[in-house]
Amino acid sequence: MIKTEICDLLNIKYPIIQGGMAWVATAELAAAVSNAGGLGVIGCGAAPKAVIKEEITKIKRLTDKSFGVNVMLLSPYVDEIIQLLYEEKAPVVTTGAGNPGKYMSMFKEIGTKVIPVVPSVALAKRMEKIGADAIIVEGTEAGGHIGELTTMSLVPQVADEVSIPVIAAGGIADGRGFIASLALGAKGVQIGTRFVCTVECQAHEKYKNAIINSADRDAIVTGRSTGHPVRSLRNKFTKKLLELEKQNTDMETLETLGVGKLRKAVIEGDVENGSVMAGQISGLIKDIKTCEEVIQDIIADAENVKNRIIYI
Ligand code: TUI
């Protein structure tokens, strides 16, 4: 049985946290992950307060287990979302795409565990200093908005520099990735793409199939030229973006082109003209399982991998 300090900190059975993916990480998905012994996380993306309030009401109906809410700090609604999470006393808050420093004291006051996602050692150290309970160290293998360093190189560097627990993210989808993360010094993992391809995930079937049908080199990066790199599956939309980037198209035009494209793919199922955000591990994912099966398979596989390592 694999148990780490993350389990006690977050009141969960397995140290597996579900990525707070915008549009994808609804109350249904998050509740299924929490009911399976991990930490389900509602993804706020750029949704307004009323939408997230409904999701929180829903998850409280669907599970009696702990859960988290991911706040995307570039959201125009970030202040009202934070206020909502304060009122609702969210058990766990993860943050992405920025520095949650100015909200930390509010959450401390109500006992909410705050776990920022960081792409560097410097930010990890800053987060520890201002009172983060743990940190999610996300490598560039991840889907969506990404940093530059790989999980393999970033996780051990952060683990050596902070005392709070590290959670590895980016490129993890099975027991091998889970054990590798622990070997690098992490106390748990955050998994996104693998949870997209689950029965309980409400994303369009075509989005799930795009991941299942993808191969190793299909999860590519656009937006490097604007300073907002995003990883998604190669399609008509990424081709157009990359062409425009090559022509040195201005940042504003490129950013405007991205607006509404994640919704287009996740909700409408337009996997050609929409943004199919997914990580590099997409090529490993071949089927749709329940969240319970995903977690049980990771844990069982992790035990096997662990035993095999001893015989090297
Ligand atoms: O946030 C994510 N992944 C995301 S957010 C998202 S929505 C979006 N869509 C289009 C463009 C931009 C956002 C889709 N996927 N992952 C966590 C993450 N956070 N990765 C990298 C970071 C990060 C980057 C810079 C965290 C902090 C940071 O700090 C900069 C600073 O010092 O303020």
Side-chain angles (χ1 to χ4, degrees):
M1 172 68 186
I2 292 162
K3 193 170 177 282
T4 71
E5 58 198 276
I6 289 291
C7 299
D8 295 328
L9 178 72
L10 304 180
N11 201 13
I12 52 180
K13 192 166 174 193
Y14 307 114
I16 298 175
I17 295 166
Q18 168 238 313
M21 303 163 282
W23 291 105
V24 170
T26 61
E28 285 89 350
L29 176 62
V33 171
S34 286
N35 284 331
L39 185 80
V41 177
I42 293 168
C44 295
K49 179 177 172 174
V51 171
I52 303 306
K53 191 174 166 72
E54 240 175 77
E55 292 300 301
I56 292 175
T57 305
K58 207 187 282 178
I59 198 170
K60 285 180 175 170
R61 208 175 61 228
L62 295 173
T63 185
D64 58 359
K65 305 273 194 305
S66 185
F67 66 91
V69 181
N70 175 267
V71 183
M72 204 277 280
L73 295 164
L74 292 173
S75 165
Y77 303 108
V78 60
D79 287 332
E80 63 181 63
I81 294 282
I82 297 281
Q83 185 57 36
L84 170 72
L85 302 182
Y86 180 80
E87 288 159 12
E88 296 281 339
K89 292 194 168 51
V92 181
V93 168
T94 65
T95 65
N99 182 341
K102 65 174 176 175
Y103 308 114
M104 204 63 100
S105 59
M106 281 173 75
F107 289 127
K108 287 272 144 196
E109 193 189 302
I110 56 170
T112 292
K113 304 285 184 254
V114 181
I115 313 182
V117 177
V118 298
S120 68
V121 171
L123 201 55
K125 287 166 82 170
R126 219 180 306 150
M127 292 302 107
E128 176 176 46
K129 205 184 261 178
I130 63 170
D133 295 280
I135 31 174
I136 297 167
V137 173
E138 189 178 275
T140 194
E141 296 94 321
H145 180 68
I146 49 168
E148 272 189 37
L149 297 167
T150 60
T151 304
M152 178 76 96
S153 52
L154 185 57
V155 171
Q157 292 189 65
V158 173
D160 278 356
E161 294 290 334
V162 300
S163 310
I164 51 175
V166 167
I167 296 161
I172 305 157
D174 67 6
R176 291 171 294 184
F178 179 88
I179 289 295
S181 300
L182 298 190
L184 293 173
K187 301 293 183 204
V189 294
Q190 178 191 264
I191 293 180
T193 310
R194 174 65 266 190
F195 282 121
V196 178
C197 296
T198 58
V199 173
E200 296 90 346
C201 173
Q202 306 292 300
H204 200 285
E205 200 187 324
K206 286 186 179 168
Y207 197 102
K208 299 181 187 180
N209 285 335
I211 293 170
I212 287 170
N213 295 327
S214 70
D216 53 351
R217 302 172 69 227
D218 287 336
I220 60 163
V221 180
T222 57
R224 287 205 197 276
S225 67
T226 65
H228 285 137
V230 169
R231 187 179 301 286
S232 62
L233 296 184
R234 190 197 312 277
N235 62 5
K236 219 155 123 182
F237 172 62
T238 60
K239 196 172 167 195
K240 188 167 160 193
L241 276 181
L242 290 177
E243 268 167 22
L244 289 171
E245 284 191 71
K246 222 190 265 174
Q247 294 160 17
N248 291 322
T249 306
D250 64 285
M251 180 165 160
E252 218 169 292
T253 309
L254 290 168
E255 301 259 298
T256 307
L257 258 180
V259 174
K261 293 299 195 291
L262 180 60
R263 181 190 183 280
K264 204 175 187 60
V266 177
I267 307 296
E268 295 172 26
D270 187 345
V271 294
E272 275 309 317
N273 303 298
S275 175
V276 186
M277 291 185 190
Q280 285 186 337
I281 206 71
S282 290
L284 192 78
I285 297 163
K286 303 288 182 213
D287 50 10
I288 291 175
K289 302 179 192 178
T290 63
C291 291
E292 171 82 18
E293 285 168 336
V294 168
I295 290 181
Q296 285 305 318
D297 287 358
I298 290 170
I299 296 300
D301 192 24
E303 292 289 353
N304 290 332
V305 172
K306 203 173 67 173
N307 295 335
R308 237 188 293 141
I309 289 171
I310 294 169
Y311 292 107
I312 284 174

